[in-house]
Amino acid sequence: LDRGWVPEDDSSLLDTAREKLVRANQKWDGHTNRRELERTPCTFEIESVIVTKDSIDEELKTSYQFTDEKFLETLTSLVEDGRSELGRIIDLSAGGLALLVQDKDQAHESDFITFSPGADPMPFDISGMHGRILRLERMEDREQLIVHVSFLPYNQDVRRQVIQVVYDGVEAA
């Protein structure tokens, strides 16, 4: 495009292709809920606390499921001891979110994170929602980090509200 190899009429097609390439799509396997995969960009300021997987493992000393009462109690108690960090949701789905935070080298893949509302009003209650960090993207030039999080099981009413936010955002786009 910069070299003039593409006619002006085709530049809109390139923009469409670029948007499709930027979106991370997953092939539907027929078993998972498609609502987990549909995402929408958004900008909500929230607070988060990161709890390392090692600290959970050290406290529990046994295998655990994310729905176990003991796991949730341990996670909640470790969150109370943690330091809250301000971040901005940049991408939301029923299955998780992408969070932009300052890169303080405290987040690692497989760690856990919990959320609470920030200054922005939100259309759903994010208080007490937990997630697991799937992937980190370092933005070297801005000393920021994009944290990709998968939600741990959460309340169905809140889930409906999140899905509504996602589909309203998709329709608006």
Side-chain angles (χ1 to χ4, degrees), residues 14-80:
L14 284 176
D15 290 337
T16 304
R18 186 177 294 120
E19 284 182 30
K20 288 181 179 180
L21 288 172
V22 168
R23 274 185 90 106
N25 289 323
Q26 292 180 330
K27 188 175 179 182
W28 186 51
D29 63 3
H31 301 289
T32 58
N33 190 339
R34 283 183 184 228
R35 293 178 179 173
E36 298 285 322
L37 306 177
E38 187 68 44
R39 300 184 308 172
T40 189
C42 57
T43 56
F44 297 115
E45 188 175 275
I46 63 169
E47 293 189 27
S48 62
V49 177
I50 294 174
V51 176
T52 64
K53 182 179 184 330
D54 292 339
S55 64
I56 296 271
D57 291 345
E58 186 178 311
E59 286 286 322
L60 293 177
K61 296 183 181 14
T62 61
S63 64
Y64 51 84
Q65 297 293 321
F66 301 139
T67 54
D68 290 347
E69 188 73 27
K70 187 72 174 161
F71 167 78
L72 295 172
E73 288 173 7
T74 303
L75 181 59
T76 303
S77 70
L78 291 172
V79 164
E80 291 171 0

Side-chain angles (χ1 to χ4, degrees), residues 38-44 89 91-94 122-125 158-172:
E38 187 68 44
R39 300 184 308 172
T40 189
C42 57
T43 56
F44 297 115
I89 298 175
D91 184 294
L92 178 69
S93 75
M122 294 190 64
F124 60 93
D125 185 17
V158 175
R159 183 180 193 75
R160 284 188 202 97
Q161 293 169 2
V162 171
I163 290 169
Q164 188 63 48
V165 170
V166 170
Y167 280 103
D168 288 347
V170 168
E171 287 178 9

Side-chain angles (χ1 to χ4, degrees), residues 52-144:
T52 64
K53 182 179 184 330
D54 292 339
S55 64
I56 296 271
D57 291 345
E58 186 178 311
E59 286 286 322
L60 293 177
K61 296 183 181 14
T62 61
S63 64
Y64 51 84
Q65 297 293 321
F66 301 139
T67 54
D68 290 347
E69 188 73 27
K70 187 72 174 161
F71 167 78
L72 295 172
E73 288 173 7
T74 303
L75 181 59
T76 303
S77 70
L78 291 172
V79 164
E80 291 171 0
D81 298 335
R83 198 173 81 224
S84 180
E85 296 289 332
L86 203 57
R88 182 162 296 281
I89 298 175
I90 56 174
D91 184 294
L92 178 69
S93 75
L97 56 83
L99 182 66
L100 182 66
V101 296
Q102 291 297 315
D103 188 1
K104 297 181 179 176
D105 203 32
Q106 66 184 35
H108 300 90
E109 291 180 9
S110 297
D111 284 349
F112 297 95
I113 187 168
T114 189
F115 308 104
S116 58
D120 296 340
M122 294 190 64
F124 60 93
D125 185 17
I126 199 163
S127 298
M129 288 179 68
H130 309 292
R132 185 162 190 200
I133 298 174
L134 299 176
R135 187 168 45 101
L136 303 170
E137 286 181 52
R138 297 205 187 293
M139 302 176 70
E140 307 275 335
D141 56 329
R142 298 195 308 187
E143 295 181 3
Q144 292 180 318

